[in-house]
Amino acid sequence: MEKLAEYNFTDNFETTDQMVQDFKAKGFLLVRNLFDKDEVEKFVKAMTDSDAFYKNAYVLEAGERKVPRITWSHPGSDVTGLAARSEKVVNTCEKLLGGEVYHYHSKYMLKDAKITAPHYWHQDYGYWYNCGNLYPDMMTVWVALDKCTKKNSCLEILSGSNSCGRIEHHPHDGQIVAKKSRVDVIREKCPHIYAEMNPGDALFFHCNTLHHSSANRSNLRRWAYIMCYNKATNNPTFAHHHAQYTPIEKVPNSAIKECTNLTDLSGKEFIHPNQNASIAELFAKYSANPT
């Protein structure tokens, strides 16, 4: 079985050439302890100690199971925003993508115990492509806020699938999913990795990397904080619900622990797709855009 491309965060952490090679070859890398216990606690408390975030939640329905999430376009200056602007996140993304990046959007993904749906196989570029992003110069930083194992629906990835190019996607069960016949063939070629993670671990993965998560049938919660980035040279060709190029004001890593702002969410621009259109309708809208 193929091992994870795995690294440990330290105070003198730098993105090495080997990490860049792993990212290009496998489509992902895992950084253990990118955020420590105190930082993770702040991300969780921002959700649990007030309704500032949760009042912006929306739900994707899949049968009888529901997946609450909270999505915003700009980082802001609360603790989640400082994490998204931190040097340890932004500098790593810039090294992996080979140039300046900007914050495309972030989200809380709240997979609670026993009540959530699977997230089917997909590439993030499967739908970002339809938002005017001409190149797959995009990536995601997926941070575990709870222990993530096979039992409670850890993220699963197909190693090396980023080299398969963009796969056709279509609406299914309230989600945008990759064409199953293509995914089935890729699964025969690309190792299937279960990204089991501890709180604070971060999975950096390319926008063409196929990934999914199963339904959480356990008694264990599985929350995640997810930050997405686009290369500055890949500014979307038309305005849509995610951010256009906006330079990131980086902050030192220490700013996260020093931050006391968990509830002032000014400037984040929350996204509420179910107030205007379903995910399928949004996909159809941007797929049909003549640009």
Side-chain angles (χ1 to χ4, degrees), residues 91-197:
N91 289 351
T92 301
C93 291
E94 291 186 330
K95 188 70 178 290
L96 295 176
L97 287 179
E100 180 191 357
V101 302
Y102 76 94
H103 178 268
Y104 191 49
H105 65 276
S106 287
K107 63 171 71 80
Y108 276 116
M109 187 71 76
L110 307 174
K111 256 197 170 179
D112 289 321
K114 290 188 176 295
I115 61 170
T116 53
H119 204 164
Y120 301 109
W121 286 106
H122 68 283
Q123 300 165 310
D124 290 339
Y125 195 56
Y127 36 90
W128 292 347
Y129 168 91
N130 291 301
C131 296
N133 298 291
L134 298 183
Y135 304 99
D137 294 335
M138 311 175 79
M139 64 179 297
T140 295
V141 185
W142 198 101
V143 180
L145 301 182
D146 298 308
K147 188 175 182 62
C148 301
T149 67
K150 292 180 184 179
K151 184 177 181 180
N152 71 333
S153 180
C154 69
L155 207 64
E156 301 174 39
I157 51 183
L158 296 182
S159 180
S161 59
N162 57 302
S163 296
C164 295
R166 184 181 67 88
I167 299 166
E168 292 181 34
H169 284 62
H170 60 90
H172 172 71
D173 202 15
Q175 302 178 29
I176 305 301
V177 305
K179 187 175 181 180
K180 185 177 183 301
S181 60
R182 192 75 170 186
V183 172
D184 288 344
V185 174
I186 293 172
R187 291 180 68 179
E188 295 176 2
K189 299 289 186 180
C190 294
H192 186 158
I193 303 293
Y194 291 86
E196 295 191 302
M197 302 164 66

Side-chain angles (χ1 to χ4, degrees), residues 26-54:
K26 299 176 182 291
F28 74 94
L29 56 86
L30 177 61
V31 179
R32 299 287 187 189
N33 304 306
L34 184 70
F35 296 101
D36 66 21
K37 181 179 179 181
D38 293 337
E39 292 169 326
V40 171
E41 183 177 349
K42 284 177 178 282
F43 302 151
V44 174
K45 286 174 70 68
M47 269 296 307
T48 59
D49 283 13
S50 83
D51 69 348
F53 271 104
Y54 205 83

Side-chain angles (χ1 to χ4, degrees), residues 233-248:
T233 54
N234 195 36
N235 193 39
T237 58
F238 60 89
H240 58 285
H241 56 295
H242 294 317
Q244 298 291 110
Y245 170 65
T246 308
I248 292 180

Side-chain angles (χ1 to χ4, degrees), residues 3 10 16 18 42 58 60 67 90 110-111 132 146 164 172 177 195 201 208 223 225 234 249 288 291:
K3 293 182 179 180
T10 62
T16 64
Q18 182 60 54
K42 284 177 178 282
Y58 60 95
L60 297 184
V67 182
V90 181
L110 307 174
K111 256 197 170 179
D146 298 308
C164 295
H172 172 71
V177 305
D201 292 348
N208 270 338
W223 283 8
Y225 172 39
N234 195 36
E249 295 182 16
T291 59

